[in-house]
Amino acid sequence: MRKWIVGAGLLYVLYGLFFYWYLFLTGDSSVPEGLKGTSADPATFMNQRELMLTEEYSKIKDFLFFVRIPFEWFLFFILLIAGLSKKMKHWAEQTSKRRFIQIAVYVFSLFLIVTAASLPLDWISYQFSLEYGISTQTTASWIKDQVIDFWISFPLTAGVVMVFYWLIKRHEKRWWFYAWCLTVPFTLFLFFLQPVVIDPLYNDFYPLKNKDLEQHILKLADQADIPANHVYEVNMSEKTNALNAYVTGIGANKRIVLWDTTLNKLDGSEILFIMAHEMGHYVMKHVYIGLGGYLLLSLAGLYVIGTIYKWMISRYGSRLHIAGKSDLAALPLLLVVLGVISFAVSPFTNAVSRHQEKAADQYAIELTENKEAAVSTFQELSKAGLSEANPPFLVKIFKYGHPTIMERIQNVEKASNE
């Protein structure tokens, strides 16, 4: 057990050292020679202090991102190899004879351990965002969000785990397929619920206060043949200086949402460009395409996860103190397999997302016919969030669901020349 723990710890340290070396010492985020002096060059729209802060903050943020991902895998491995997961299961079984209560108790204990162990990294990330002027959130508000995260994630996860163990007992060989069948209505339900139940727990949403701007946005929506009555704004300035807008929900609960920071820092033409971008997602049905793609990917993913989970238990079950696939103590192993698979496919899902975002940008350029507003919008997004215009390759493929700022501005310039 000690050798496995030391080996896993050493592997995690080497992983962290690799990304430190890659991000701080060798990762290339420089501006290509041919783009220097153009509108895509940060030196043309940022001052020296902003350039320095962007470089520093991006490296720290990216490093924390990569270190945070496998931290939970390492923690789950320790719980398994040390027999702690098995002890947690026995304790949960002593609390009640009812299986669903045992599962709820075990998941609650696991969530407490993960939350407590991850808190230092989350706190460090929060402090850096404060130090670099990205976050404006008070400590009390940050803690409140952590508590909300816990009490949303815990019951949802506990419910999913209960269904998982029920399926694996009833349908040992094809549990993954029946799980996917249940995933479809569950995902649709969450998509429908999020704008009106979950999101308001974190922030206040209300119809756009600037009625003149709203009329311009609705007129733009009418040009795009989009049925829209209201645009919503959210008071994100209490938490961040970054800018954003997005489309959320499905059916009657679909919303276009603007952060108030976006309203405060961008002019009318830039806001209209952002709105046109979000309308592009609607017109091209990206929400539904993304949802359909997710469901198809989850079908293949559940099959792969089920296969690896079964193989891991047959090969290492005794060493990890797992009695079988339906053993509650095996949950950390399932979460590790799920996490690794999700991380492995993220370059693919991010690439699809970047393609959709590029298409929405192109749609917005054509709808507004204002390329200058497009360029200035991307420049302001980069400045407000201290975002690198040209991040290193691994950062782009694993983190970026949007094209880089440099790519987005280049795409606008190409459109201008066509």
Side-chain angles (χ1 to χ4, degrees), residues 141-202:
S141 174
W142 183 82
I143 293 173
K144 177 187 174 184
D145 282 355
Q146 304 306 304
V147 173
I148 292 173
D149 284 344
F150 183 94
W151 286 109
I152 289 177
S153 300
F154 160 63
L156 287 176
T157 304
V160 170
V161 172
M162 289 175 193
V163 172
F164 164 74
Y165 280 110
W166 177 76
L167 287 174
I168 209 167
K169 279 192 172 184
R170 292 287 300 272
H171 309 281
E172 185 177 353
K173 292 184 178 180
R174 295 189 179 275
W175 67 266
W176 56 272
F177 177 74
Y178 294 106
W180 178 79
C181 291
L182 293 175
T183 296
V184 176
F186 181 71
T187 303
L188 290 172
F189 176 70
L190 285 182
F191 262 73
F192 187 80
L193 203 67
Q194 182 169 338
V196 294
V197 176
I198 297 176
D199 289 345
L201 294 175
Y202 294 91

